[in-house]
Short mmCIF file of all heavy atoms in Angstrom, two decimals:
data_model
loop_
_atom_site.label_atom_id
_atom_site.label_comp_id
_atom_site.label_asym_id
_atom_site.label_seq_id
_atom_site.Cartn_x
_atom_site.Cartn_y
_atom_site.Cartn_z
N PHE A 1 345.41 146.35 -54.70
CA PHE A 1 346.64 145.83 -54.09
C PHE A 1 346.83 144.35 -54.43
O PHE A 1 347.92 143.94 -54.83
CB PHE A 1 346.56 145.97 -52.57
CG PHE A 1 346.80 147.37 -52.07
CD1 PHE A 1 346.33 147.75 -50.82
CD2 PHE A 1 347.50 148.31 -52.81
CE1 PHE A 1 346.55 149.03 -50.33
CE2 PHE A 1 347.72 149.59 -52.34
CZ PHE A 1 347.24 149.95 -51.10
N GLU A 2 345.79 143.56 -54.25
CA GLU A 2 345.93 142.12 -54.41
C GLU A 2 346.09 141.71 -55.88
O GLU A 2 346.89 140.82 -56.19
CB GLU A 2 344.73 141.42 -53.78
CG GLU A 2 344.71 141.59 -52.26
CD GLU A 2 343.48 141.05 -51.58
OE1 GLU A 2 342.56 140.57 -52.29
OE2 GLU A 2 343.41 141.09 -50.35
N ARG A 3 345.36 142.38 -56.76
CA ARG A 3 345.50 142.06 -58.18
C ARG A 3 346.82 142.59 -58.72
O ARG A 3 347.51 141.92 -59.48
CB ARG A 3 344.32 142.64 -58.97
CG ARG A 3 343.00 142.00 -58.64
CD ARG A 3 341.85 142.62 -59.41
NE ARG A 3 341.98 142.40 -60.84
CZ ARG A 3 341.03 142.71 -61.73
NH1 ARG A 3 339.92 143.31 -61.32
NH2 ARG A 3 341.19 142.46 -63.00
N GLY A 4 347.16 143.82 -58.35
CA GLY A 4 348.39 144.42 -58.86
C GLY A 4 349.65 143.75 -58.37
O GLY A 4 350.69 143.83 -59.02
N ASN A 5 349.55 143.07 -57.22
CA ASN A 5 350.72 142.39 -56.65
C ASN A 5 350.62 140.87 -56.78
O ASN A 5 351.28 140.14 -56.04
CB ASN A 5 350.86 142.75 -55.17
CG ASN A 5 351.37 144.16 -54.97
OD1 ASN A 5 352.54 144.47 -55.17
ND2 ASN A 5 350.47 145.06 -54.57
N ALA A 6 349.81 140.41 -57.72
CA ALA A 6 349.57 138.97 -57.86
C ALA A 6 350.86 138.17 -57.96
O ALA A 6 351.07 137.19 -57.22
CB ALA A 6 348.69 138.71 -59.09
N GLU A 7 351.75 138.56 -58.85
CA GLU A 7 352.99 137.79 -59.05
C GLU A 7 353.88 137.85 -57.81
O GLU A 7 354.48 136.84 -57.43
CB GLU A 7 353.74 138.30 -60.28
CG GLU A 7 353.00 138.02 -61.59
CD GLU A 7 353.83 138.36 -62.81
OE1 GLU A 7 355.01 138.75 -62.64
OE2 GLU A 7 353.31 138.23 -63.93
N ARG A 8 353.96 139.02 -57.19
CA ARG A 8 354.77 139.15 -55.97
C ARG A 8 354.20 138.31 -54.83
O ARG A 8 354.94 137.67 -54.08
CB ARG A 8 354.86 140.61 -55.55
CG ARG A 8 355.75 141.47 -56.42
CD ARG A 8 355.89 142.85 -55.85
NE ARG A 8 356.48 142.81 -54.51
CZ ARG A 8 356.27 143.72 -53.57
NH1 ARG A 8 355.45 144.75 -53.81
NH2 ARG A 8 356.85 143.63 -52.40
N ILE A 9 352.88 138.34 -54.68
CA ILE A 9 352.25 137.56 -53.62
C ILE A 9 352.52 136.08 -53.83
O ILE A 9 352.92 135.37 -52.91
CB ILE A 9 350.73 137.83 -53.57
CG1 ILE A 9 350.46 139.25 -53.06
CG2 ILE A 9 350.02 136.81 -52.68
CD1 ILE A 9 349.01 139.68 -53.15
N ILE A 10 352.31 135.62 -55.06
CA ILE A 10 352.55 134.21 -55.37
C ILE A 10 354.01 133.83 -55.09
O ILE A 10 354.31 132.76 -54.57
CB ILE A 10 352.20 133.92 -56.85
CG1 ILE A 10 350.68 133.99 -57.05
CG2 ILE A 10 352.72 132.55 -57.29
CD1 ILE A 10 350.24 133.91 -58.50
N GLY A 11 354.91 134.75 -55.42
CA GLY A 11 356.33 134.47 -55.24
C GLY A 11 356.80 134.50 -53.81
O GLY A 11 357.86 133.93 -53.49
N THR A 12 356.05 135.16 -52.92
CA THR A 12 356.50 135.30 -51.53
C THR A 12 355.77 134.38 -50.55
O THR A 12 356.23 134.22 -49.42
CB THR A 12 356.34 136.75 -51.04
OG1 THR A 12 354.98 137.18 -51.24
CG2 THR A 12 357.26 137.69 -51.81
N LEU A 13 354.65 133.79 -50.96
CA LEU A 13 353.92 132.90 -50.06
C LEU A 13 354.70 131.59 -49.89
O LEU A 13 355.00 130.90 -50.85
CB LEU A 13 352.52 132.60 -50.60
CG LEU A 13 351.50 133.74 -50.52
CD1 LEU A 13 350.24 133.37 -51.28
CD2 LEU A 13 351.17 134.05 -49.06
N SER A 14 355.02 131.27 -48.66
CA SER A 14 355.75 130.03 -48.36
C SER A 14 354.77 128.87 -48.25
O SER A 14 353.56 129.08 -48.13
CB SER A 14 356.51 130.19 -47.04
OG SER A 14 355.58 130.29 -45.96
N PRO A 15 355.27 127.63 -48.25
CA PRO A 15 354.38 126.48 -48.03
C PRO A 15 353.60 126.59 -46.72
O PRO A 15 352.42 126.21 -46.65
CB PRO A 15 355.35 125.29 -48.00
CG PRO A 15 356.48 125.73 -48.88
CD PRO A 15 356.64 127.19 -48.60
N ARG A 16 354.23 127.15 -45.70
CA ARG A 16 353.53 127.33 -44.41
C ARG A 16 352.38 128.32 -44.55
O ARG A 16 351.30 128.11 -44.01
CB ARG A 16 354.52 127.81 -43.35
CG ARG A 16 353.88 128.04 -41.98
CD ARG A 16 354.93 128.52 -40.98
NE ARG A 16 355.55 129.76 -41.39
CZ ARG A 16 355.01 130.97 -41.20
NH1 ARG A 16 353.83 131.08 -40.61
NH2 ARG A 16 355.65 132.06 -41.59
N HIS A 17 352.63 129.41 -45.28
CA HIS A 17 351.57 130.38 -45.51
C HIS A 17 350.40 129.73 -46.26
O HIS A 17 349.23 129.95 -45.92
CB HIS A 17 352.10 131.57 -46.35
CG HIS A 17 352.90 132.54 -45.56
ND1 HIS A 17 354.22 132.80 -45.83
CD2 HIS A 17 352.57 133.35 -44.52
CE1 HIS A 17 354.68 133.71 -44.99
NE2 HIS A 17 353.70 134.06 -44.19
N LEU A 18 350.73 128.97 -47.28
CA LEU A 18 349.68 128.35 -48.09
C LEU A 18 348.85 127.37 -47.26
O LEU A 18 347.62 127.31 -47.40
CB LEU A 18 350.31 127.63 -49.29
CG LEU A 18 350.92 128.56 -50.35
CD1 LEU A 18 351.74 127.76 -51.36
CD2 LEU A 18 349.83 129.36 -51.06
N GLU A 19 349.51 126.61 -46.41
CA GLU A 19 348.78 125.68 -45.54
C GLU A 19 347.85 126.42 -44.60
O GLU A 19 346.70 126.01 -44.37
CB GLU A 19 349.76 124.83 -44.74
CG GLU A 19 350.52 123.80 -45.58
CD GLU A 19 351.57 123.07 -44.76
OE1 GLU A 19 351.58 123.24 -43.51
OE2 GLU A 19 352.36 122.33 -45.36
N THR A 20 348.32 127.53 -44.06
CA THR A 20 347.48 128.32 -43.16
C THR A 20 346.30 128.93 -43.90
O THR A 20 345.17 128.95 -43.40
CB THR A 20 348.31 129.45 -42.50
OG1 THR A 20 349.43 128.89 -41.84
CG2 THR A 20 347.46 130.22 -41.50
N LEU A 21 346.53 129.40 -45.13
CA LEU A 21 345.45 129.95 -45.94
C LEU A 21 344.40 128.88 -46.24
O LEU A 21 343.19 129.15 -46.19
CB LEU A 21 346.00 130.54 -47.24
CG LEU A 21 346.83 131.82 -47.10
CD1 LEU A 21 347.52 132.16 -48.43
CD2 LEU A 21 345.96 132.99 -46.65
N GLU A 22 344.85 127.68 -46.55
CA GLU A 22 343.91 126.59 -46.80
C GLU A 22 343.09 126.28 -45.56
O GLU A 22 341.88 125.99 -45.64
CB GLU A 22 344.67 125.33 -47.25
CG GLU A 22 345.20 125.44 -48.68
CD GLU A 22 346.11 124.28 -49.05
OE1 GLU A 22 346.62 123.59 -48.13
OE2 GLU A 22 346.32 124.07 -50.26
N GLY A 23 343.73 126.34 -44.40
CA GLY A 23 343.01 126.12 -43.15
C GLY A 23 341.96 127.18 -42.90
O GLY A 23 340.87 126.89 -42.39
N LEU A 24 342.25 128.41 -43.28
CA LEU A 24 341.29 129.50 -43.09
C LEU A 24 340.10 129.35 -44.04
O LEU A 24 338.96 129.66 -43.68
CB LEU A 24 341.97 130.85 -43.31
CG LEU A 24 342.96 131.26 -42.21
CD1 LEU A 24 343.80 132.46 -42.65
CD2 LEU A 24 342.21 131.59 -40.92
N VAL A 25 340.35 128.86 -45.25
CA VAL A 25 339.25 128.59 -46.18
C VAL A 25 338.35 127.50 -45.60
O VAL A 25 337.12 127.61 -45.64
CB VAL A 25 339.78 128.17 -47.56
CG1 VAL A 25 338.63 127.75 -48.47
CG2 VAL A 25 340.56 129.31 -48.21
N ALA A 26 338.96 126.46 -45.05
CA ALA A 26 338.18 125.39 -44.44
C ALA A 26 337.36 125.91 -43.26
O ALA A 26 336.22 125.51 -43.04
CB ALA A 26 339.11 124.26 -43.98
#
């Protein structure tokens, strides 16, 4: 799912999503 939808995922993640993901990595 994640590899096959790489371009779609990248295209749909908002700046807010990305910030939250970075927080989860931390």
Side-chain angles (χ1 to χ4, degrees):
F1 284 158
E2 293 174 357
R3 294 178 65 172
N5 287 286
E7 292 188 4
R8 287 186 60 207
I9 290 172
I10 290 172
T12 54
L13 287 171
S14 67
R16 179 180 60 82
H17 282 118
L18 291 169
E19 289 175 9
T20 304
L21 290 170
E22 287 172 342
L24 289 168
V25 174

